[in-house]
Amino acid sequence: MNTPTLKSVTCLLGFCLLILPALLSTVCTSSSSQNRKIENFDKTWKFQLGELTNGQEPGLDDAQWRVLDLPHDWSIEGEFSKDHPATPGGGALPGGIGWYRKTFTLPAADKDKLTFIEFDGIYRNSEVWINGHYLGKRPYGYSSFRYELTPFLKYGEEKNVLAVKVDNSQQPNSRWYSGSGIYRNVRLVTTEKLHVDHWGTYVTTPEVTPQGGAKVTIQTKVRNASAQDQPITLKTVILDEDGKQVTAVQSESIAPKDSVCEIVQNLTVNNPALWSIEDPRLHQAITTIECNGRVCDDYVTTFGIRTFSFDVDQGFFLNGKPVKIKGVCNHHDLGCLGAAVNRRALQRQLEIMRDMGVNSIRTSHNPPAPELLDLCDEMGFLVMDEAFDVWKVKKTEYDYALNWNEWHRRDLEDMILRDRNHPSVVIWSIGNEVMEQWNRNDSSGIVIARELAAIVRALDPTRPVTAACNDQDPANPVIKSGALDLIGYNYKHNTFPDFPKIYPGKKFIATETTSALATRGHYDMPSDSIRRWPERWDKPFDKGNPDNTCSAYDNCSTPWGSTHEETWKIVKKYEFLSGMYVWTGFDYLGEPTPYGWPSRSSYFGIVDLAGFPKDAYYMYQSEWTDKPVLHIFPHWNWNEGDAVDVWTFTNCEEVELFVNGQSLETKKKAGDDLHLAWRVAFAPGALKAVGRTDGKEILTREIKTAGAPAKIVLEADRNVIASDGRDLSFVTVKVLDEDGTLAPRAGDLINFEITGEGNITGVDNGLQTSAEPFKANYRKAFHGLCLAVVQSTEKAGRITLKATSEGLQEAAIVIEAK
């Protein structure tokens, strides 16, 4: 049997995902026999915004509807307004109702096969029809699901019409920006009547030892949709990362008619390459079903071989080695791209986080796009996979609490079944700050926590269950239930050292920490004065800065949170503190604490919405990586004589500061210092820092006073991208003075022009109060920076992006699409 190698294709649970972006839009099959056909179904949908009474009718005239490709988020295309019912907390963008339709044909040869449509996520209240026949509804906007189309299909030259209604009109239904529409990928899957069922394999490694290798158990669910019992041969071959067979097994069985049976197989992999953060080695299980002497189905499951554990006294271990979990929480939006998932955009976020030293991601507060978990598997990130933000008690008027009774079991089961083969996933979270925590006189929190934990353990007993609790009292019903393997703390960092006394014999994870606030490039002095904004979470806040900024010195946080330094000092000190997840890695749309309108995105991120790091990024980099770090800030454009607080984040032992060549003072890090600081009288010129360790100069950094803005410079994160209609190049736009120094106060309007085989799919600058649209060919710089995101077409060729602004020297950059 010819099988694809892991380097060419990653297929998980029947979802075929080509690693090379250039091939993502192709039709892919899990083997050369083509018994299972998996077709990308994202192209050429018709879309109309607004309610219709007959949008599902096959004969409806949709010729005037907009033609687009999925994934699609219609909210991100709208205008910001404080009057949108989502409110600034939901991103201040429009919701509504949208209809999608796709017309397609199927070959006559598929008539005796089964055909399914698979959706990775639709926000929200999706309803689906095929040829006018109603298939079902899924309220939860983050669940992946599928429907069988077979009974209602037409073949040959006859056309089929798939219709999807998406209703995101009841708002607010989220505490952050949700997006609207079919915002994740769609596939059409064709199988024979005897096949591996949906999410039909479960791979575990119950024993991994140097002497005995890895014991691998594979549970395979086989569906027989025919009218006869079928004798079958189930073969499983395990391949290593290079596509080399390392072991195989074969089982004979009978697949009962019109039912699903499960077959368990045990294998041994000798001397396996283990999956780790540093070297994320992956394996593939190639499963084939033979019936009547031929292959009926083939199915590929990607997995990793690794061991992990949480210890009461020593924290987290991966493959027997202690690892401090250095995590961030992230919401699902991709800045100016909105909720519409894009693999390259996710990859860029992970690259930025990895360069900071992050080794784990929390999927706040919902099941993520499958692509995120695929990337975490491939790149070596641990994952806390989270299911819900609310249970039965609501947080917003129209949220998931309305659907809880009917849908929570199905949605949780689907998440576990979909995600349980990912080696990156090491924690299941069943909820975030659920309201049931606070009612001591109601047992519902105990009952629900136990029910959810039991659902998880029935499907995957190999990973611990936690919940993110902002009430850490042992009387909290969620904790009191005894359902949690890890006690999850949200905030209260000063209580972390007392955890062994409060919860003797229990294991700890800081599920959410910090909630520091910052506007990139804005500095409030004195820097040693910490601002706790807002004063109360439940009261309007009117004591901040008039321009709705927050200081980037790491001296501004919420009252329930902390500065970045305050929490990390504690977590790094104690072994039993297994790790932390900072709120948040990236700014996200919605929840603009501490402000309201005109703010419409968060201040929590270590990186802003455009992907530009704030200063605290370098504190973590100096602590969480081994690379030499010396970051000096703020900028050096002030008024003559101003007292300016100068900080450095560094892992050098000492730093000497110079102004215009004159040494001011050398300072050494002592105790638990995480930064060094000087108060300096501003004089135009150059500010220089020299970092030394053991008396040896390690790094030098210099900041100069910028003159008037004079020119534009464009820098692409990648100058060569795939010509697949999906791949992206993120182009940083810098406004510089005539000597090439970044103009830190520049707010010039930048206009973009693009020619060739590409388009501008988004623009941003990271400013939380900007009302400029994301889908545009212009953007004001913010503190000297903005961003243009270039997307390829499906043709190879040159893409030229040109940037102009009145009074500035223009710039252009060439990107090759191949």
Side-chain angles (χ1 to χ4, degrees), residues 777-797:
N777 61 355
Y778 62 89
R779 195 72 175 188
K780 286 183 179 179
F782 174 59
H783 289 160
L785 298 176
C786 65
L787 177 77
V789 185
V790 174
Q791 187 170 42
S792 65
T793 67
E794 293 185 341
K795 293 182 180 179

Side-chain angles (χ1 to χ4, degrees), residues 202-209 213-219 265-267 305-307 462:
Y202 177 38
V203 183
T204 57
T205 53
E207 184 179 339
V208 181
T209 63
K215 307 296 184 185
V216 180
T217 297
I218 302 180
Q219 299 168 237
Q265 297 176 309
N266 295 297
L267 308 90
I305 298 173
R306 83 285 187 265
T307 65
T462 71

Side-chain angles (χ1 to χ4, degrees), residues 691-806:
R692 301 184 184 92
T693 297
D694 293 331
K696 180 182 178 182
E697 185 174 312
I698 305 297
L699 290 171
T700 299
R701 295 287 184 262
E702 187 174 61
I703 302 173
K704 295 182 179 180
T705 303
K711 59 186 176 182
I712 302 169
V713 169
L714 303 180
E715 297 176 356
D717 70 333
R718 295 188 306 155
N719 290 95
V720 179
I721 61 176
S723 57
D724 59 3
R726 294 174 180 247
D727 204 5
L728 305 174
S729 179
F730 290 81
V731 181
T732 297
V733 183
K734 296 182 177 180
V735 179
L736 309 181
D737 71 5
E738 60 182 9
D739 296 323
T741 299
L742 182 73
R745 301 188 187 278
D748 302 77
L749 177 65
I750 312 295
N751 294 292
F752 300 105
E753 179 184 334
I754 193 164
T755 56
E757 299 303 330
N759 58 76
I760 299 171
T761 193
V763 291
D764 198 2
N765 61 14
L767 174 60
Q768 290 94 342
T769 57
S770 174
E772 294 175 290
F774 289 130
K775 303 296 184 180
N777 61 355
Y778 62 89
R779 195 72 175 188
K780 286 183 179 179
F782 174 59
H783 289 160
L785 298 176
C786 65
L787 177 77
V789 185
V790 174
Q791 187 170 42
S792 65
T793 67
E794 293 185 341
K795 293 182 180 179
R798 288 162 61 96
I799 304 167
T800 301
L801 179 70
K802 181 179 178 182
T804 61
S805 181
E806 185 176 355

